[in-house]
Amino acid sequence: MALTKTQQAHADAYLRRFMAGLKRRNPGQPEFHQAVHEFARDIVPFLEDKKDYKDAHILDRMTEPDRVIVFRVCWVDDDNNVRVNRGTRVQFNNSIGPYKGGLRFHKNVNISILKFLGFEQVFKNSLTTLPMGGAKGGANFNPHGKSDQEVMRFCQAFMTELVRHIGPDTDIPAGDIGVGAREVSYLFGQYKRLRNEFTGTMTGKGLSFGGSLIRTEATGYGCVYFAREMLATRGEEIRGKTCLVSGSGNVAHYTAEKLIQLGGKVVTMSDSSGFIHDKDGIDEEKLAWIGELKTKRRGRIAEYAEKWGADYHEGKRPWGVAGDLVFPCATQNELEEEDAKTLVGNGCMLVSEGANMPSTIEAINVFLDHKVLFGPAKAANAGGVAVSGLEQSQNAMRLSWSREEVDAQLLDIMRKIHQSCVDHGREGDYVNYVKGANIAGFIKVGDAMLAYGVL
Ligand code: NDP
Ligand code: 2IT
């Protein structure tokens, strides 16, 4: 429902006061401010005529995490040096299910980044239709250049404290940047040892010890399924489109894989050092080579250029290359306003966010202003956590579903998320998926919070 001029002016003033208060209460947390701002600018106008939510101060309560657990992680490196890192788990909101969300190991991890990720996770998980609350955690540990033994010792030390705060009905961590199959295995092994129990308290586990088929692929596949749904609203398809992908980790890899399967031409991938541009397109063989490079040899994407004769652009991101479909799958704020203008200028018709908050607010504004099909992270990359939810179900039932069964459920969930975004984000002949995802995600969590009374 469109607001009157007076209501709009009231909402604008409220949003300014709200954001000023949030910044005052959370100084030095720019990523958290950004994630809340992107959400609140849709939610505040939505709440304008909804007295129940407003009287209950739902937005104020939603932006304050249930708790933040911070702990010291000590371990010994291969040269016998004692190393100290900081571990954190942000348990943001468990109104609709146990806390659920990944762990990130990266040198720049801090409280601002983990709070932004935990906040986004609450609404992403709500969109999946599964009963999962939101959390995020991690450490300022840099896995680059560490031996397997060092990573194992770090993971065991990290879990030795985290174990007190998690459990199958309490909080179920998973992977994120720097936490893949290897790390989840070390973490789960230590959890199992300390608790002397075998429950699905982590997801993304190996297939021989409770993992779900398709979990590894889920975020990337889901991101492409979401893109396909968006394209279908304009009678378009992936086949024949030039696709730009950033990153070369888990999400980027399986985004590229599904795009190739569906006939897309993937011409870029990247890592934190730069990007490769392969004008002939990355095919299955080349992608398999990248997978080996990144998960086994743990090398740099620059090596691809030498091996396959592509261009390599040191210190740059792929957004200057002309493409129809854009999949930022590396990290937050990797796509800025100028990049968005360049992409739009080069004719890009769709952005589907595999990473969390990869586009700045200014970049999002450019895409929305130009009516680009823009799938925000909390909708487009929800396939990963959705299949984590399916892994929990299988663990609870002590059985495992086939690849086809899980993939079909993932596709069904991505379609439902797309429909929720359309239902809540339609603006004339354009669907504002950012608004749709924010409002749909908000309603389920907000209604549960209202029902509980003041908590
Ligand atoms: P990985 O660790 O597997 O891969 C991360 C990729 O991003 C690597 O190519 C890495 O390059 C690059 N990268 C990391 N930090 C930076 C940086 N500061 N600047 C440029 N590039 C960077 O992580 P995932 O693929 O799991 O995660 C990627 C994104 O997807 C994150 O935003 C994550 O939160 C999000 N996500 C992940 C899900 C999952 O299931 N794993 C689910 C939903 C979202 P390098 O190797 O040089 O570090
Ligand atoms: O950002 C995310 O959704 C993830 N890193 C996956 C979380 C999960 O619990 O599978």
Side-chain angles (χ1 to χ4, degrees):
M1 199 182 60
L3 298 183
T4 64
K5 265 198 175 146
T6 320
Q7 283 175 321
Q8 190 60 55
H10 183 261
D12 291 346
Y14 183 84
L15 180 61
R16 274 196 300 276
R17 280 203 311 281
F18 171 78
M19 283 310 303
L22 183 106
K23 288 178 182 171
R24 209 168 42 242
R25 288 190 300 281
N26 302 282
Q29 299 180 9
E31 291 86 1
F32 180 56
H33 303 163
Q34 181 184 339
V36 173
H37 187 205
E38 187 247 271
F39 179 75
R41 69 183 188 156
D42 289 326
I43 298 304
V44 167
F46 172 74
L47 293 183
E48 189 55 32
D49 58 358
K50 294 176 186 65
K51 193 169 178 319
D52 283 5
Y53 292 127
K54 282 208 291 191
D55 288 352
H57 285 260
I58 292 292
L59 190 57
D60 296 298
R61 287 156 59 186
M62 272 181 178
T63 47
E64 196 63 43
D66 289 353
R67 68 187 66 77
V68 178
I69 300 148
V70 183
F71 50 96
R72 184 176 67 234
V73 185
C74 292
W75 55 286
V76 179
D77 69 19
D78 287 346
D79 299 323
N80 273 329
N81 298 308
V82 174
R83 308 286 285 257
V84 186
N85 289 100
R86 182 176 299 162
T88 304
R89 185 74 175 163
V90 179
Q91 296 182 330
F92 220 107
N93 190 308
N94 68 352
S95 297
I96 61 167
Y99 301 110
K100 179 86 197 87
L103 296 171
R104 178 176 291 193
F105 293 167
H106 190 275
K107 60 181 184 212
N108 75 3
V109 159
N110 59 36
I111 190 64
S112 173
I113 289 173
L114 294 179
K115 279 176 68 179
F116 115 65
L117 289 163
F119 180 75
E120 290 263 306
Q121 199 80 45
V122 173
F123 307 101
K124 181 197 304 193
N125 293 4
S126 162
L127 285 169
T128 64
T129 71
L130 302 176
M132 300 183 288
K136 202 83 186 192
N140 60 340
F141 171 77
N142 182 4
H144 286 302
K146 303 283 192 304
S147 69
D148 286 350
Q149 292 297 305
E150 289 177 321
V151 171
M152 180 188 79
R153 287 195 291 275
F154 177 80
C155 287
Q156 292 181 341
F158 183 87
M159 183 53 83
T160 301
E161 173 61 31
L162 188 68
V163 69
R164 303 169 207 274
H165 310 288
I166 62 176
D169 298 316
T170 309
D171 185 353
I172 304 93
D176 194 80
I177 293 179
V179 179
R182 174 182 64 171
E183 292 76 14
V184 168
S185 305
Y186 291 147
L187 289 161
F188 180 69
Q190 181 74 345
Y191 176 85
K192 183 178 70 62
R193 170 161 79 173
L194 293 172
R195 275 281 165 87
N196 191 24
E197 68 172 35
F198 196 113
T199 53
T201 300
M202 289 209 57
T203 59
K205 299 185 291 297
L207 295 179
S208 63
F209 49 94
S212 173
L213 286 160
I214 299 285
R215 174 62 190 90
T216 308
E217 297 89 336
T219 312
Y221 280 16
C223 181
V224 177
Y225 293 154
F226 195 84
R228 189 167 59 173
E229 293 300 308
M230 291 197 288
L231 284 172
T233 66
R234 292 191 183 167
E236 293 277 359
E237 59 173 16
I238 284 165
R239 184 161 300 282
K241 302 283 190 306
T242 299
C243 307
L244 311 181
V245 175
S246 67
S248 48
N250 171 269
V251 179
H253 187 97
Y254 292 99
T255 296
E257 181 171 289
K258 185 53 75 178
L259 287 169
I260 296 166
Q261 282 171 12
L262 295 177
K265 184 177 180 189
V266 178
V267 295
T268 66
M269 289 183 80
S270 72
D271 63 18
S272 55
S273 307
F275 81 92
I276 53 111
H277 181 196
D278 185 340
K279 297 183 183 81
D280 298 332
I282 300 169
D283 60 17
E284 279 171 9
E285 186 193 354
K286 294 173 181 174
L287 186 64
W289 185 89
I290 294 178
E292 228 261 332
L293 172 78
K294 285 294 172 182
T295 58
K296 302 255 166 25
R297 289 196 284 123
R298 299 187 187 269
R300 311 307 299 158
I301 198 74
E303 294 174 41
Y304 179 99
E306 237 173 74
K307 166 83 185 165
W308 300 100
D311 296 336
Y312 174 66
H313 302 267
E314 176 80 20
K316 297 241 162 43
R317 299 158 180 167
W319 316 132
V321 176
D324 307 306
L325 314 179
V326 175
F327 298 86
C329 297
T331 193
Q332 65 275 356
N333 291 329
E334 57 167 320
L335 199 165
E336 299 175 84
E337 185 175 13
E338 283 309 309
D339 302 318
K341 287 181 181 161
T342 307
L343 287 166
V344 169
N346 283 333
C348 122
M349 65 168 79
L350 172 144
V351 180
S352 190
E353 293 190 320
N356 284 308
M357 206 166 77
S359 312
T360 62
I361 292 198
E362 295 76 20
I364 294 175
N365 291 344
V366 172
F367 292 129
L368 297 185
D369 287 348
H370 288 85
K371 296 200 169 9
V372 169
L373 293 166
F374 181 82
K378 57 172 84 69
N381 75 33
V385 74
V387 175
S388 278
L390 301 180
E391 183 172 328
Q392 288 177 256
S393 303
Q394 293 168 79
N395 292 163
M397 291 192 286
R398 300 189 193 285
L399 48 77
S400 37
W401 298 328
S402 68
R403 200 178 156 83
E404 292 71 30
E405 169 68 25
V406 181
D407 197 27
Q409 290 204 44
L410 168 64
L411 177 59
D412 184 53
I413 290 170
M414 296 314 295
R415 285 193 171 137
K416 285 183 181 143
I417 298 174
H418 180 268
Q419 191 55 48
S420 298
C421 293
V422 172
D423 291 346
H424 295 279
R426 191 171 284 292
E427 293 174 344
D429 62 355
Y430 179 61
V431 178
N432 180 340
Y433 289 90
V434 181
K435 183 166 116 185
N438 283 335
I439 293 177
F442 167 88
I443 290 173
K444 188 169 167 192
V445 179
D447 285 353
M449 291 177 78
L450 269 187
Y452 294 136
V454 179
L455 288 181

